[in-house]
Amino acid sequence: MIKINNLKKYYGKHRGIENVSFEIKEGEILGLIGPNGAGKTTTIRILTGFLKPDNGEALIDGKKMPYDVDLVKENIGYIPGEVNFYGDMKISEFLEFNRSFYKNIDREYEKEIIELLGIEVNKKFKALSLGNKKKVAILQALVHKPKYLILDEPTNGLDPLVQQKFYDLIKRHKEMGAVILFSSHILSEVEKLCDAFAMIKDGSVVKSGTIEGLKDISKKIINVYGLSFIEDLKKYKNSKNKNTTYTFEIKSAELKIFLKDLVKTEFSDIEIKNPALEDIFLELYK
Ligand SMILES: Nc1ncnc2c1ncn2[C@@H]1O[C@H](COP(=O)(O)OP(=O)(O)OP(=O)(O)O)[C@@H](O)[C@H]1O
């Protein structure tokens, strides 16, 4: 289990985090959501043993971080927000180096991830693109099948196809019983993947709960073109842009029922957008 209680950290006079609390159980993925500068990375740096908090505690398997990091680090897989390995090392050399840190790395699993993500093992790290560097970080974090996965904006830089493969890998680790912290500023991916969420704003957790609760807060912006407007659509918040173009604002939890109502009538095209997290925060706290 991961347990964070009233965690606080200042960088000199600058606020890192003010008051962060949440917990994650076995087989659970928690999405830590917040806009830039909210305090996600600061929380994660304490949890991974790199920073000391000013107040509160961060526990992994009952061990106090960062002080007891040596007792749990073999069981942690970590994807940092900014990936930086030794630039002149070939990926194949890096993997050999990585194997020396962990007992019993499953070579079959290593091979499987390399093939699944299309990792170019004969290239030097510095020659890889941002997305390809991220793939190496994913491999390094997952290959020893750790009990605790701490992922700091892991999909940043990945193309949609690789993102999907990554989600599938994470789901497999969840099924193995892993405890997973997934930080993101993209609400839709948290909705897709996570069981629970904690929303962090200006250094404090302002909302948390199950993913169903998040779907009640989040919404989709839907443009419908060439629409013959009918009575059944009146109940949804909408505005008319041109003669037959309408924009609807639908709670994520109501998306299916809205689409059922929509197909009762005629339209020529549809576009579903996820509003930026900042816009949702603005609306929640205006
Ligand atoms: N080394 C540092 N020195 C001073 N202030 C810092 C330092 N690192 C982070 N901060 C500040 O702490 C606050 C939280 O930053 P943090 O990186 O934890 O946020 P984040 O939610 O991870 O943001 P992002 O999504 O942009 O990575 C910000 O106001 C940031 O400016």
Side-chain angles (χ1 to χ4, degrees):
M1 188 167 188
I2 288 180
K3 213 168 173 172
I4 307 272
N5 287 324
N6 305 320
L7 209 59
K8 175 176 176 174
K9 171 75 191 172
Y10 271 70
Y11 299 93
K13 283 187 186 154
H14 296 280
R15 187 270 302 154
I17 49 174
E18 189 66 50
N19 187 0
V20 173
S21 302
F22 57 79
E23 56 181 58
I24 318 170
K25 299 186 186 71
E26 272 70 31
E28 191 175 77
I29 311 177
L30 178 128
L32 183 61
I33 317 164
N36 293 131
K40 303 180 296 293
T41 300
T42 303
T43 307
I44 283 175
R45 281 204 195 123
I46 296 169
L47 206 50
T48 43
F50 296 110
L51 271 183
K52 284 184 190 165
D54 299 330
N55 207 353
E57 56 181 13
L59 304 170
I60 296 187
D61 192 22
K63 314 288 185 306
K64 214 167 174 178
M65 306 303 278
Y67 315 99
D68 294 337
V69 65
D70 286 345
L71 301 177
V72 281
K73 71 176 172 208
E74 259 194 61
N75 284 323
I76 296 179
Y78 168 49
I79 301 182
E82 277 171 32
V83 180
N84 246 325
F85 296 131
Y86 302 105
D88 278 320
M89 242 188 200
K90 273 191 186 174
I91 305 310
S92 53
E93 291 165 342
F94 171 73
L95 292 178
E96 206 176 313
F97 179 63
N98 189 54
R99 271 178 232 128
S100 67
F101 283 101
Y102 301 101
K103 287 176 241 143
N104 314 322
I105 280 192
D106 178 350
R107 294 289 291 268
E108 279 304 309
Y109 191 47
E110 185 184 276
K111 207 168 137 211
E112 193 186 331
I113 301 177
I114 289 170
E115 280 167 12
L116 181 78
L117 301 180
I119 294 174
E120 299 162 294
V121 290
N122 290 320
K123 282 200 173 164
K124 284 186 175 173
F125 187 75
K126 67 180 179 192
L128 298 181
S129 67
L130 171 69
N132 284 330
K133 283 180 179 161
K134 207 78 191 217
K135 290 180 190 174
V136 179
I138 294 170
L139 170 62
Q140 195 262 345
L142 300 185
V143 71
H144 57 295
K145 297 184 181 162
K147 172 82 186 267
Y148 298 95
L149 274 175
I150 299 170
L151 315 172
D152 195 356
E153 308 210 14
T155 54
N156 195 8
L158 298 180
D159 69 48
L161 207 69
V162 180
Q163 267 180 31
Q164 192 50 53
K165 290 177 179 173
F166 172 70
Y167 297 147
D168 293 343
L169 276 172
I170 295 303
K171 281 183 201 151
R172 274 168 69 180
H173 283 258
K174 170 187 156 78
E175 278 156 26
M176 292 178 214
V179 176
I180 305 171
L181 173 59
F182 188 100
S183 115
S184 175
H185 62 270
I186 306 164
L187 218 58
S188 56
E189 75 170 355
V190 170
E191 281 174 10
K192 222 185 293 176
L193 190 68
C194 299
D195 305 291
F197 77 99
M199 241 180 203
I200 180 167
K201 180 180 182 269
D202 299 337
S204 296
V205 170
V206 288
K207 261 198 169 58
S208 58
T210 64
I211 220 65
E212 279 65 39
L214 182 65
K215 285 182 185 165
D216 256 357
I217 304 169
S218 77
K219 58 186 181 186
K220 306 275 180 196
I221 305 295
I222 304 178
N223 291 325
V224 187
Y225 301 92
L227 177 70
S228 307
F229 200 89
I230 53 167
E231 189 70 22
D232 284 344
L233 296 175
K234 266 192 181 163
K235 58 181 175 280
Y236 303 103
K237 189 174 174 189
N238 70 82
S239 57
K240 192 175 181 181
N241 307 330
K242 286 183 193 153
N243 263 352
T244 54
T245 302
Y246 290 80
T247 298
F248 292 88
E249 223 182 273
I250 307 291
K251 276 187 185 174
S252 294
E254 289 177 344
L255 182 63
K256 268 190 189 162
I257 181 102
F258 168 76
L259 291 174
K260 274 187 189 157
D261 279 335
L262 186 65
V263 294
K264 291 177 189 163
T265 184
E266 296 296 320
F267 58 93
S268 58
D269 204 356
I270 176 171
E271 185 182 25
I272 304 182
K273 293 197 225 170
N274 294 305
L277 187 57
E278 281 77 357
D279 293 338
I280 291 181
F281 271 91
L282 272 180
E283 201 146 295
L284 272 175
Y285 299 101
K286 68 185 169 192

